[in-house]
Amino acid sequence: MNAAELTISQLKEAYRSGDLSPADALRSIADAIDEKDGDIGGYLEYDLDLALSMAEKADIKLPLGGIPIAIKDLINVKGQNCGCASKILTGNYNSPYDATVISNLRAAGAIPFGRTNMDEFAMGSSNENSGIKKCRNPHDTDRIPGGSSGGSAAVVAANTAIASLGSDTGGSIRQPASHCGVVGLKPTYGRVSRYGLVAFASSLDQIGPMTKTVEDAALLMNALAGPDIRDSTCLDEPVPDYTKAIGQDIKGLKIGLPKEYFAKGIDPEVEKKVRAAVQKLEALGAETVEISLPNTEHAVATYYIIATAEASANLSRFDGVRYGHRADIGDAVSDDEAALITHYKKTRAEGFGPEVKRRILLGTYVLSSGYYDAYYLRAQKVRTLIREDFTKAYEKVDLIASPVSPTPAFKIGEKSSDPLAMYLADIYTISANLAGICGISVPCGTVSEQGKDLPVGLQFLGKPLGEFDLLKAAHAYEAG
Ligand code: GLN
């Protein structure tokens, strides 16, 4: 039995029966990484000895006892580097504390193992913006794994991890899950604590699970979700047992199909797969109805104003004084004001990659006096309209189904010189973040491109705190 290929629930069973120990699982994952990750680049680093020392103490009776979970490089794990795949932090920032999701995972018995590659500070859709190294799609290494949680998706797809954590600000869990053929769940805003997640856009960011099966996503959600006094946006709402959603039928469930999500621009082969998935849901007893989310066309523009505005504020803390990389400014004296400005400029110019700089510039611009009303304030108003579109839709339906991404994984380099084309690929995922609702991507087959089978994802979008229904529908689909 190759432990690295197992799901969380299979590994739990193997521990229970005594076929495998947590140390066996870690060694087999480390072997798989040595064998495959050189071609994929899903991991930035891992520490087998540290993980083995945790495995010795693992209590396999706990819900995730002894289960290794790979962690996206922007979630703080005490004592480990938290680099955000950026040169400004990598190698020179060690987390002084655990993020709440990490404390929650540890309390459930899990072992955080490895830091996964990503777009720098989670800004991107292809992982090409990693400041450290490329990450490739395990289904075709000439293609992108998606982003920004590209590494977290790739390691699960390549069986170099059991499961992982990602973060989703505009699609960064669901889109790479779709491109790599794994399950990715973005929780409702506030369902999971953001304490210890390096902030990109604080009103949009959420951490969530990336797994081989829907059941595993439910198992991880049980550990991740819940209130947190350290994050004031975290909801004080009870956490259901999400594993109870597994195996329930979906007879009579009302699923809306937004006409704007099946409009022009979608790859015909991707559309075929998603439509076939919808037919399968109908065969399983769901009722589907066409709905409209009329403000969809404004979502990309709205997101790229709000997300960049928040990013420009959040990233101002990386100044070379408090965190990470510090530029060498030679003999200049640091209490001289001009030298201080030179120091900031040089540190940030050296530390940040081009996409991060673009976002900081855009965000600073939309917040600047004279432009604030025309851009930022207006975007906030459109955000409200987008949220209302969903509120109205959920008066008629329980869930929404749609594609995750208009195309399968594209070739590395294909869109990197055209940021706008890259941004437009987020069209089906970002509205959920703007509205604060939850979403999941579940594999729904593959399309063939140049002899390679590339995964396609089906997205379900749920009501606020509707994760239970998402998991129920996704599991019924996966099993059906
Ligand atoms: N692709 C989007 C962006 O580049 C979303 C990123 C994310 O969800 N972190 O901003």
Side-chain angles (χ1 to χ4, degrees):
M1 188 180 328
N2 181 353
E5 290 176 4
L6 301 181
T7 64
I8 296 177
S9 56
Q10 288 167 337
L11 194 54
K12 273 163 68 89
E13 180 52 31
Y15 290 167
R16 204 195 52 79
S17 66
D19 288 345
L20 288 173
S21 70
D24 296 333
L26 285 165
R27 284 198 194 90
S28 118
I29 293 166
D31 287 347
I33 297 173
D34 287 348
E35 187 196 328
K36 297 189 246 182
D37 201 57
D39 291 335
I40 294 171
Y43 282 96
L44 295 171
E45 60 180 23
Y46 67 90
D47 184 340
L48 181 59
D49 292 334
L50 176 68
L52 284 172
S53 70
M54 290 187 246
E56 267 171 35
K57 290 173 244 143
D59 176 358
I60 62 160
K61 288 196 276 316
L62 290 171
L64 297 172
I67 307 287
I69 306 289
I71 309 296
K72 187 175 178 180
D73 195 33
L74 78 179
I75 297 172
N76 282 280
V77 178
K78 190 174 179 180
Q80 296 186 19
N81 190 239
C82 181
C84 303
S86 178
K87 290 196 175 66
I88 211 158
L89 287 177
T90 297
N92 50 32
Y93 175 69
N94 274 340
S95 306
Y97 67 101
D98 274 339
T100 296
V101 288
I102 299 299
S103 327
N104 289 353
L105 283 181
R106 290 196 207 273
I111 301 173
F113 180 55
R115 310 286 304 169
T116 58
N117 204 352
M118 56 183 279
D119 286 301
E120 184 178 3
F121 285 105
M123 296 173 187
S125 309
S126 67
N127 226 113
E128 290 166 291
N129 299 334
S130 169
I132 308 304
K133 64 179 183 186
K134 274 205 171 63
C135 181
R136 297 167 181 278
N137 192 313
H139 296 270
D140 176 355
T141 50
D142 290 336
R143 291 178 188 267
I144 56 106
S148 65
S149 313
S152 289
V155 298
V156 175
N159 286 320
T160 51
I162 307 298
S164 63
L165 294 191
S167 68
D168 191 313
T169 305
S172 280
I173 289 176
R174 291 160 288 155
Q175 184 256 22
S178 168
H179 287 335
C180 289
V182 304
V183 174
L185 190 153
K186 181 205 97 71
T188 304
Y189 186 74
R191 176 74 293 187
V192 171
S193 168
R194 292 180 296 110
Y195 176 74
L197 166 72
V198 177
F200 162 11
S202 308
S203 76
L204 302 161
D205 300 337
Q206 269 292 290
I207 297 170
M210 305 187 74
T211 56
K212 294 173 191 173
T213 62
V214 176
E215 183 184 9
D216 282 4
L219 282 163
L220 275 179
M221 279 302 289
N222 275 0
L224 299 174
D228 181 11
I229 48 160
R230 292 195 167 100
D231 173 3
S232 61
T233 63
C234 201
L235 299 167
D236 188 6
E237 292 287 339
V239 180
D241 178 356
Y242 291 112
T243 61
K244 296 231 164 75
I246 304 305
Q248 288 200 10
D249 78 52
I250 55 165
K251 283 200 188 70
L253 195 75
K254 277 208 160 162
I255 299 182
L257 307 172
K259 64 173 193 252
E260 294 80 3
Y261 285 42
F262 290 88
K264 65 174 189 319
I266 180 168
D267 175 297
E269 294 302 311
V270 169
E271 180 169 3
K272 257 192 227 161
K273 286 290 156 194
V274 177
R275 292 221 184 255
V278 168
Q279 281 179 357
K280 185 165 149 188
L281 293 168
E282 288 165 350
L284 291 166
E287 281 172 42
T288 58
V289 349
E290 188 180 90
I291 57 163
S292 175
L293 299 168
N295 289 293
T296 301
E297 61 173 317
H298 305 303
V300 172
T302 305
Y303 169 86
Y304 278 95
I305 291 172
I306 293 174
T308 56
E310 293 183 14
S312 72
N314 276 326
L315 270 62
S316 65
R317 74 192 67 178
F318 302 107
D319 56 9
V321 176
R322 283 167 293 188
Y323 304 98
H325 173 71
R326 176 174 296 191
D328 180 3
I329 54 165
D331 295 332
V333 200
S334 56
D335 58 3
D336 164 338
E337 197 182 321
L340 186 64
I341 304 290
T342 306
H343 160 89
Y344 288 151
K345 282 189 185 161
K346 208 163 170 234
T347 295
R348 288 165 71 81
E350 288 172 2
F352 291 136
E355 182 62 25
V356 174
K357 287 177 185 158
R358 180 173 9 248
R359 306 259 180 139
I360 293 172
L361 288 171
L362 273 171
T364 307
Y365 179 79
V366 300
L367 288 175
S368 58
S369 82
Y371 296 101
Y372 181 91
D373 288 2
Y375 291 104
Y376 186 71
L377 202 63
R378 186 170 296 184
Q380 290 292 13
K381 289 179 181 164
V382 180
R383 180 178 190 173
T384 303
L385 297 177
I386 291 171
R387 190 180 296 131
E388 283 170 0
D389 280 357
F390 284 98
T391 310
K392 280 192 202 118
Y394 289 126
E395 284 165 9
K396 286 191 242 138
V397 298
D398 303 308
L399 277 182
I400 291 169
S402 81
V404 178
S405 174
T407 64
F410 46 88
K411 287 260 174 73
I412 292 174
E414 196 179 313
K415 294 190 186 174
S416 41
S417 58
D418 185 353
L420 198 56
M422 192 81 89
Y423 297 171
L424 287 171
D426 297 332
I427 180 79
Y428 305 133
T429 50
I430 58 183
S431 296
N433 302 74
L434 291 167
I437 59 174
C438 54
I440 193 169
S441 173
V442 59
C444 71
T446 57
V447 297
S448 174
E449 292 245 356
Q450 295 161 329
K452 299 274 166 88
D453 291 330
L454 305 176
V456 175
L458 167 69
Q459 176 171 243
F460 290 106
L461 297 175
K463 296 176 186 173
L465 295 176
E467 285 81 0
F468 194 91
D469 278 352
L470 280 187
L471 290 160
K472 178 168 103 176
H475 182 263
Y477 173 77
E478 179 191 63

